Structure formats: C-alpha cells, structure tokens
Amino acid sequence: MDISKIFENNRSWVENKLGNDPQYFENLAKGQSPEILYVGCSDSRVTAEQLMGLGPGDVFVHRNIANMIPNLDYSSMSVVNYAVVHLKVNHIVVCGHYYCGGVKAAMDSADLGILNPWLREIMDVYRLHKDELLAISDEDARYRRLVELNVQEQCVNAIKIEAVQRAYRERDLKIHGWVFDIKSGRLIDLEIDMQKALQGIHQIYHVD
Ligand code: CO
C-alpha cells in the first residue's frame, strides 16, 4: 500500500464532506455526544461505524483483540467508565465476529508469548461454558458458539462495573451483544437478556 495515497484519500474525503456541509468539521470540533459505546475486535475486516451505517460523532469506539472487557484491563475499564459516566451513552454494544483469530487462538494450545494472558481470558469463557461447548462435535460450530459466548461474557463483564450498574438502575442503560457475520456482512443480535444475566450475577457482583 502506498501510504501517501491515504493523504490523497483524506483530501477527497474532506472535500466531499465540505461539499455536503461547509460547517461539517467546525460542528464536529464543538464536541461529541455519542449515544453508543461500541466494543469490537481489532480485526481489520470488522469496522465500527461503517458496518452500522454511522459516521463521525455517532459512536464511542473501543477495539482490542476479541472485543474483551477484562476486569483488570485499565484501557477498556477507562473507556467504559468515560462513556457511561461522562458521555452518558444510552447503549453499550459488545460486537464479536465469526472467524475471530483471537477466539481461535484461545481454542488452540500454541504459546503466543505476551498474548497468553489475554487469550486466557477467552479460555476462561470456554471453561465456564465447557459442557455446552464440548457437546458440539462440529469444530466450526463450536468455534462460532465460543464467539457468541465470549460476547455474552463481555456483556457480563460490563455489567460488573459499578458505573454501569448505576446507569442501568438509574437511567435504563442498555447492553447489547452482537456478532458480525463476516461471510454475509450481517449483524446478528444475540438478544442477550441482561435482566436475566444481572439476576444471575447480582448476588456476587452487586455494588451499591
Ligand atoms: Co476478532
């Protein structure tokens, strides 16, 4: 790839935006009030705004390997807290995707060095749901199911956060688990019942 082409692309993008609205960037510079926090995978095939048909200013985005919100990860914790407490987003979306390399790596036994503790977070999801997963004989189907269960567990990780619990109680913040199906381009809503998920973990993770 010719990197200088990117600056050409940028110039035509700016012209295009200004052609539609001469104040476009001046208005963007005034601030942001996105309604959605999107936590997705870093995978180059899975965009954030583009696959949702949204643009600059619409979504607060956090991406990492396998769309994780691990308890001790200060980066994702800071993003969620800032989005919920300061930007007051109304929706948290955790979006996984089929054929996720991170999830695949967690199903294998390769030593990936510094990646190992990150992948162990996904292995923990596997262990939590091992009865269901090991009952699936087709490896591809098991892989897809682990992608879905990982999204579900990251939604649970989000609801463990005190600021999220508070916003859930006080202003009905919604949490959504989605999967992007790369083969069809479609977004799938896993329709995770957060009320039910919260009841299951409330006793242990409840924060006043
Ligand atoms: Co991925």
Side-chain angles (χ1 to χ4, degrees), residues 41-43 65-67 97 99-102:
C41 185
S42 297
D43 192 302
I65 291 174
N67 41 271
H97 68 102
Y99 306 105
C100 179

Side-chain angles (χ1 to χ4, degrees), residues 122-179:
I122 310 170
M123 290 175 184
D124 288 345
V125 175
Y126 201 134
R127 178 169 50 80
L128 270 174
H129 297 275
K130 73 175 189 311
D131 293 346
E132 178 185 344
L133 287 163
L134 293 175
I136 303 171
S137 53
D138 180 71
E139 198 175 327
D140 197 55
R142 198 187 317 140
Y143 178 17
R144 291 164 70 92
R145 187 61 185 140
L146 182 54
V147 164
E148 296 171 0
L149 290 169
N150 184 48
V151 167
Q152 183 180 310
E153 290 303 326
Q154 302 318 311
C155 290
V156 169
N157 275 349
I159 201 83
K160 289 177 193 168
I161 302 167
E162 52 275 36
V164 174
Q165 291 186 21
R166 211 164 288 130
Y168 186 80
R169 278 199 303 267
E170 291 170 5
R171 56 184 180 85
D172 197 26
L173 169 76
K174 299 270 195 301
I175 301 177
H176 312 267
W178 296 350
V179 171

